[in-house]
Amino acid sequence: MREDIRQYLEVKDQYPEAIVLVQSPDQRFYEAFFDGARPLIKHLEMIGTRMKSGAKELGRVRVAGFSVQSLHKYLDRLPQQGEVVIAEGKGAISVHPHQLPALVVEELPLPKSVG
């Protein structure tokens, strides 16, 4: 099995409800696999694809990801979908808590009094 997929499964076991991203072996991308790719596809409008897992029993698995340089752009939006856990290639893990979208409060004019 590919090391990045193995790492993804290990981190997902520890954080089953989180959006888990792992750094690719070449350290150029953050990727999510299996059903974990869906939030990236749905909320970040990324294109999902499939790749060889390196494990015969898994075959080809769903994957979506983005470049390491783009992390700051997506960390503004992903935590609104749930907790985000990022696993670096060296085993370091960072957790970004779920953040509810900011409420926009609009002041409405007071109704004019009748009479």
Side-chain angles (χ1 to χ4, degrees), residues 19-80:
I19 298 168
V20 174
L21 301 171
V22 296
Q23 199 169 35
S24 63
D26 62 9
Q27 299 182 349
R28 294 176 37 211
F29 298 94
Y30 288 109
E31 299 170 319
F33 300 97
F34 307 100
D35 286 342
R38 286 192 175 146
L40 278 66
I41 295 166
K42 182 177 179 183
H43 300 291
L44 302 181
E45 301 174 357
M46 295 185 173
I47 296 173
T49 188
R50 293 195 178 272
M51 64 186 293
K52 292 179 182 178
S53 66
K56 191 173 189 175
E57 64 275 9
L58 295 177
R60 295 176 64 80
V61 299
R62 182 189 315 245
V63 61
F66 52 85
S67 71
V68 168
Q69 292 86 355
S70 299
L71 179 63
H72 67 282
K73 178 169 71 171
Y74 296 121
L75 265 182
D76 290 342
R77 296 190 297 173
L78 268 179
Q80 294 177 9

